[in-house]
Amino acid sequence: TYTTLFVYPNPASEQLTIAADLLEGKVISVDWVSSTGVLVKTEVARAVNSGVLSLSCSDLLSGTYLLKLKESGTNEVWTIP
């Protein structure tokens, strides 16, 4: 469970930032899932600067997405609606 979680800007067109205390320094796999449940994109990024994760979304169509974050090497999955 996060004690702090921020996702911005919303809506995003070029880059989305996720800031969460539990992400600091971790390698995270991110699944972008469409509102119809289709996996659209998967990317891997390292969270830096107190748990800040920057993701590119310029290649995605405008719409609503669910983000599933999974820490590398674990089975823990966090979902951000």
Side-chain angles (χ1 to χ4, degrees):
T1 304
Y2 301 107
T3 55
T4 60
L5 174 66
F6 300 98
V7 180
Y8 58 91
N10 187 9
S13 59
E14 297 293 320
Q15 183 172 324
L16 181 72
T17 301
I18 300 171
D21 55 341
L22 293 180
L23 298 179
E24 186 171 359
K26 297 179 180 174
V27 176
I28 305 294
S29 173
V30 181
D31 289 342
W32 296 76
V33 181
S34 72
S35 58
T36 59
V38 175
L39 177 62
V40 176
K41 174 180 170 178
T42 298
E43 64 183 290
V44 177
R46 178 177 293 278
V48 295
N49 297 336
S50 299
V52 175
L53 186 67
S54 295
L55 306 170
S56 173
C57 57
S58 61
D59 57 336
L60 298 173
L61 296 175
S62 180
T64 301
Y65 295 90
L66 176 80
L67 297 178
K68 292 186 177 182
L69 284 66
K70 182 178 181 194
E71 181 183 345
S72 180
T74 72
N75 291 323
E76 188 166 5
V77 175
W78 304 292
T79 302
I80 302 174

